Amino acid sequence: MADMKTQMIRHGGKDKPYANVGERVKAFKEAYGDEGSIVTTFLVNDEEKVVSQTQVIVNGKILATGHAEEIRGSTQVNQSSALENCETSSIGRAISFATG
């Protein structure tokens, strides 16, 4: 897959490289073009929480599935954008699972 811009984040007491979800999507699209799809479905979207599932598909084959859950109002971002935050998280997880 194409190179991604990464930054270093501290996780588990160690600095590790991290590519934000936008960079992951860009690299996926560059690598797979029209053969690749990213499909998100919302399993729950109510007043309390949002749960999303994203599938990464190449040539009709599901390479990976990622899930995410966000509780509305639990963070500043989730006060106004829980659905968007949840979608972004599940996309990032699915691409990471698909590409190792």
Side-chain angles (χ1 to χ4, degrees), residues 13-30:
K14 298 180 181 179
D15 289 333
K16 298 182 178 185
Y18 175 83
N20 70 38
V21 175
E23 288 296 325
R24 294 179 208 183
V25 170
K26 180 180 174 183
F28 178 81
K29 292 293 187 183
E30 287 175 2

Side-chain angles (χ1 to χ4, degrees), residues 24-97:
R24 294 179 208 183
V25 170
K26 180 180 174 183
F28 178 81
K29 292 293 187 183
E30 287 175 2
Y32 297 106
D34 291 339
E35 287 85 36
S37 299
I38 300 168
V39 179
T40 300
T41 304
F42 291 95
L43 306 176
V44 177
N45 182 14
D46 61 26
E47 297 79 28
E48 180 186 337
K49 68 181 173 182
V50 182
V51 178
S52 63
Q53 171 185 283
T54 299
Q55 294 180 321
V56 172
I57 304 166
V58 175
N59 292 321
K61 180 181 177 186
I62 298 170
L63 298 184
T65 301
H67 291 86
E69 176 183 67
E70 296 295 340
I71 305 301
R72 294 188 185 277
S74 63
T75 66
Q76 186 173 354
V77 170
N78 285 343
Q79 288 179 10
S80 63
S81 304
L83 184 129
E84 295 89 339
N85 192 24
C86 190
E87 180 181 32
T88 300
S89 296
S90 66
I91 290 170
R93 291 176 58 80
I95 293 174
S96 290
F97 294 150

